[in-house]
Amino acid sequence: MTFVKFNQHPAHRTLGGLMDEVFNNTSKLWKDDILTSDFFGTYPPVNITENKEAYVLDILVPGWSKEDFKLNLENNVLTISAEKKAEQKAEDQKQIRREFNFRSFKRSFTLDESVDADKIQAKYDNGVLNLQLPKKEQAQPKTKSITVA
C-alpha cells in the first residue's frame, strides 16, 4: 500500500507567513503555469506521442485558422510559427473595450534521423494542430516469429 500525503504545507498562522509563501514560491508559478500559457504570448502547449509508425505532435492553438500557420523544415529542425494581425476597426465605430489580443508564436523541434521528412502531414481541427511525423522504413521495428526446433 502506498501512503500519499496531501496539503503538505502547514496552515499559515499569520498574514506574514501567507505572504512569504506567496512571494517565495512565485518561481514555480512562473515556470509551470504562466510560461506555458498562450495568454501571455509565450508558446502553445504540445503533446508528443510515439507509435510504431510515427511521432505525433498535438499543438493546442485555438482561435487560429489553418492559413495562419507556417511550417518549415531545415537541417532536421521543424519550426512551427503563426502570426495574426490585429483587426482594423471601422471609422464609424467607437471602441469601448478591447480584450481580443492576437499574438504570434514560434516553436522549433529537432527531429530524429528516423523521421521521413518527405511524408510529414499537418492537419488543423478544433483548435489543435496535429502533425504526423512518419518514421522511415528501416527505423520501424520488424516483428518476426521464431519457431523452436
Side-chain angles (χ1 to χ4, degrees):
M1 175 181 271
T2 304
F3 179 69
V4 179
K5 286 186 177 181
F6 291 98
N7 298 328
Q8 295 182 12
H9 297 289
H12 302 288
R13 299 180 193 256
T14 64
L15 179 63
L18 177 64
M19 297 304 280
D20 283 343
E21 181 70 23
V22 169
F23 289 111
N24 289 335
N25 287 332
T26 55
S27 62
K28 182 181 184 326
L29 172 72
W30 281 102
K31 179 180 159 204
D32 294 342
D33 298 330
I34 294 176
L35 290 179
T36 58
S37 73
D38 194 36
F39 180 76
F40 287 90
T42 53
Y43 56 87
V46 63
N47 290 337
I48 302 173
T49 56
E50 178 184 8
N51 57 40
K52 286 193 275 187
E53 295 85 25
Y55 296 99
V56 179
L57 277 72
D58 289 321
I59 305 167
L60 184 64
V61 283
W64 299 81
S65 65
K66 65 181 183 179
E67 292 81 19
D68 294 330
F69 298 106
K70 181 181 176 186
L71 283 77
N72 186 25
L73 180 64
E74 185 177 339
N75 297 328
N76 281 346
V77 176
L78 176 66
T79 303
I80 303 160
S81 61
E83 184 174 358
K84 194 180 257 192
K85 303 290 184 189
E87 298 174 354
Q88 300 293 329
K89 63 180 184 175
E91 295 289 326
D92 60 342
Q93 294 178 348
K94 178 182 175 187
Q95 184 137 10
I96 297 171
R97 184 179 183 119
R98 180 166 181 84
E99 292 184 350
F100 290 3
N101 193 8
F102 298 108
R103 298 185 187 250
S104 61
F105 72 86
K106 185 176 187 178
R107 290 209 64 177
S108 296
F109 301 93
T110 302
L111 302 183
D112 190 10
E113 287 81 24
S114 66
V115 173
D116 190 352
D118 295 330
K119 296 182 182 176
I120 294 176
Q121 296 177 348
K123 182 175 90 171
Y124 182 67
D125 188 34
N126 290 332
V128 177
L129 179 63
N130 177 277
L131 291 150
Q132 298 285 329
L133 309 171
K135 295 179 182 178
K136 294 179 183 174
E137 289 295 323
Q138 69 269 17
Q140 294 181 11
K142 303 287 182 186
T143 304
K144 181 180 176 182
S145 240
I146 301 172
T147 57
V148 179

